Amino acid sequence: MKVLVIGNGGREHALVWKIYQSERVEKIYVAPGNDGMLELAERVDLALDDIKGLANWAERNQIDLTVVGPEKPLVEGIVDEFTLRGLKIFGPDKKAARIEGSKVFAKEILRKYHIPTAEYEVFTEPAEALNYLEDASYPLVIKAEGLAGGKGVVIATSLKQARAAVARIMEERLFGDAGNRIVIEDFLEGEEVSILVITDGESILPLAPAQDHKAIFDGDEGPNTGGMGAYSPIPIISKDVLQEIAQKILYPAIKAFRAEGIKYKGILYVGLIMTSLGPKVLDFNARFGDPESQVILPRLKNDLVDLMEMVVEDRLPEIELEWDERSAVCVVLASAGYPIDYKTGYRIKGLAGLAKYDNVLLFHAGTKQKGNNYLTDGGRVLGITVLGDGLLDAINQVYSYIDEIDFEDMHYRTDIGYRLIRGY
Ligand code: GLY
């Protein structure tokens, strides 16, 4: 069969890598992809949000299954367009993807169906939000309602920071219309975990839990990014804890969506915090996480294409997924200055030497090929994933392999997995 993957980052490279392993797949296309994927897939020169263009192309090329990586085309209705034309596509439709497209919508569902989450208020007027901040206790969390590339959430530790966040989102309109409304919610203390489930709107199959490191600098300092590293499994999320999360959050969420007339199909990514009062939802995403997918997919033994097809065809069984027992750690190599301002076009040295290690995977995000070399071409440049015998081994190995890679302005966190090392 012929599969089209939509997107151009490390997540999509991991998806392409996993899909390539399916014996049923003859050919993979990726739109727009990046040069690092060329060994596995052919690039299609269409933008990831050119929904009509992508559907026309998929029709012309008789694509059997389309897999959507990023949130933007999902929120804009790519699944509806493909489905209307009888094309098979994996992901939630526009109505369902609102759980990521509108943080207000997601919070309303959580509140209405008593799914554990932080208390919150919604504001449309900056003056009212500023007024509310005067008597609030800190820290608190301020979120732009719409899509902001992972940068629309601020944890304000003081009134001054909270005022600045409201001004940036609502008055300076840093994220445009995504900041028309904001959610101000209580700050919750605990370990953050990413629980992704594959679902056809009835059955759910939880994927192995992962933990992401969103801040740009070591010790979780500095602005949030799309994600600077991840690992899986997470020792604190035992089978019993995952069962508790499924009972308190995952099944109730899918049921709540159904009650709202949403048949949620695809990946439901639940950002959770493990508080002293149990797991609570921080946010929902309508897609695979990045870099979480770079540690989850290398551990998944099942055929991903089979699972995706079962979702599209509403026949996902409640089976136990099979996992590689090894631990996976991914460290993102970025361009210095990311997520704000950075330079590109630098030669990446040392990649070819890593090909000889079976347990090392390189997922390209922002790279461009020039002759026999790769150049940096984005903020997040590469994810390097290592499978090891336990997390400590994987962490030690990943940093020793990173020593073999070099490019000008290379920045990465040196403490991926530090919560695990210090014992949470
Ligand atoms: N790693 C965070 C996200 O994918 O949204």
Side-chain angles (χ1 to χ4, degrees):
M1 64 194 278
K2 292 197 271 183
V3 178
L4 168 65
V5 176
I6 294 174
N8 60 355
R11 165 184 46 213
E12 288 75 26
H13 194 177
L15 279 166
V16 164
W17 174 85
K18 181 67 186 157
I19 290 166
Y20 187 81
Q21 289 164 34
S22 172
E23 286 177 3
R24 298 172 55 212
V25 173
E26 293 149 34
K27 175 90 186 169
I28 307 174
Y29 298 93
V30 58
N34 67 50
D35 287 348
M37 306 173 186
L38 286 174
E39 277 177 23
L40 308 178
E42 185 177 323
R43 293 184 70 180
V44 178
D45 189 18
L46 287 169
L48 56 82
D49 55 358
D50 178 4
I51 292 177
K52 291 250 188 281
L54 289 162
N56 290 341
W57 188 91
E59 256 177 354
R60 267 201 319 278
N61 290 277
Q62 297 176 332
I63 295 299
D64 300 295
L65 178 69
T66 297
V67 178
V68 188
E71 58 277 17
K72 192 161 186 273
L74 292 169
V75 169
E76 290 175 0
I78 191 166
V79 170
D80 308 61
E81 179 69 28
F82 273 57
T83 308
L84 210 64
R85 298 184 190 209
L87 293 163
K88 285 189 190 170
I89 183 163
F90 178 81
D93 63 17
K94 188 173 182 170
K95 197 170 167 192
R98 263 190 94 203
I99 53 118
E100 176 163 5
S102 166
K103 292 195 167 57
V104 173
F105 179 64
K107 292 295 285 191
E108 282 169 351
I109 291 191
L110 290 165
R111 182 177 272 172
K112 181 170 171 188
Y113 293 93
H114 310 290
I115 299 169
T117 189
E119 288 303 318
Y120 72 98
E121 300 283 341
V122 177
F123 296 93
T124 311
E125 295 300 327
E128 283 171 20
L130 291 169
N131 194 32
Y132 174 86
L133 294 177
E134 294 297 319
D135 299 321
S137 19
Y138 293 85
L140 54 68
V141 184
I142 299 169
K143 297 176 169 177
E145 177 183 12
L147 297 184
K151 293 161 208 143
V153 177
V154 176
I155 298 171
T157 54
S158 64
L159 174 59
K160 190 172 166 209
Q161 281 183 6
R163 280 188 187 137
V166 170
R168 274 198 304 274
I169 298 171
M170 299 191 91
E171 291 170 346
E172 293 159 34
R173 301 183 58 75
L174 199 62
F175 309 114
D177 286 351
N180 284 352
R181 289 199 289 180
I182 57 170
V183 174
I184 301 184
E185 68 178 28
D186 291 352
F187 174 78
L188 299 176
E189 203 109 34
E191 281 301 315
E192 280 188 39
V193 296
S194 306
I195 305 290
L196 280 66
V197 300
I198 185 163
T199 175
D200 61 0
E202 301 279 341
S203 304
I204 65 167
L205 300 182
L207 304 181
Q211 189 167 49
D212 181 19
H213 297 60
K214 292 197 177 72
I216 184 73
F217 298 125
D218 284 5
D220 295 330
E221 297 289 333
N224 268 359
T225 68
M228 292 298 291
Y231 62 91
S232 171
I234 313 177
I236 54 166
I237 310 294
S238 61
K239 268 197 164 177
D240 286 350
V241 174
L242 191 55
Q243 192 58 32
E244 181 195 348
I245 292 169
Q247 294 311 329
K248 288 189 174 157
I249 289 170
L250 306 178
Y251 284 109
I254 294 293
K255 204 168 149 200
F257 298 156
R258 275 208 307 270
E260 293 295 310
I262 293 169
K263 186 164 168 61
Y264 192 99
K265 291 169 66 157
I267 293 293
L268 174 66
Y269 166 152
V270 188
L272 282 182
I273 186 149
M274 304 303 291
T275 75
S276 55
L277 298 174
K280 296 194 180 196
V281 177
L282 292 175
D283 50 21
F284 289 127
N285 293 316
R287 51 168 172 87
F288 280 102
D290 194 4
E292 290 94 328
S293 47
Q294 299 181 52
V295 290
I296 294 171
L297 294 175
R299 296 190 55 233
L300 178 65
K301 286 189 175 171
N302 302 68
D303 184 322
L304 184 63
V305 174
D306 283 348
L307 293 170
M308 289 176 162
E309 211 174 41
M310 288 190 263
V311 167
V312 174
E313 293 170 1
D314 295 311
R315 55 180 179 89
L316 190 69
E318 296 256 349
I319 50 167
E320 281 248 338
L321 295 174
E322 288 174 51
W323 298 96
D324 188 325
E325 287 300 316
R326 290 176 297 170
S327 298
V329 173
C330 170
V331 176
V332 171
L333 307 181
S335 302
Y338 169 77
I340 297 160
D341 194 20
Y342 52 84
K343 293 195 184 124
T344 59
Y346 298 122
R347 184 154 81 87
I348 307 169
K349 294 172 218 150
L351 294 185
L354 293 178
K356 60 180 178 284
Y357 304 113
D358 284 347
N359 64 332
V360 178
L361 295 162
L362 290 173
F363 294 123
H364 289 238
T367 67
K368 188 164 69 182
Q369 201 166 11
K370 190 169 181 206
N372 290 330
N373 293 309
Y374 284 104
L375 307 181
T376 63
D377 195 37
R380 288 195 288 183
V381 175
L382 280 170
I384 168 162
T385 295
V386 168
L387 289 154
D389 295 327
L391 283 164
L392 289 180
D393 176 50
I395 290 168
N396 288 334
Q397 286 199 57
V398 81
Y399 284 111
S400 72
Y401 293 127
I402 287 174
D403 287 343
E404 300 185 28
I405 303 179
D406 186 36
F407 56 85
E408 205 169 320
D409 278 357
M410 180 163 100
H411 167 74
Y412 61 92
R413 280 184 60 161
T414 63
D415 66 346
I416 298 304
Y418 81 96
R419 296 186 192 88
L420 169 93
I421 293 166
R422 70 155 197 231
Y424 294 102

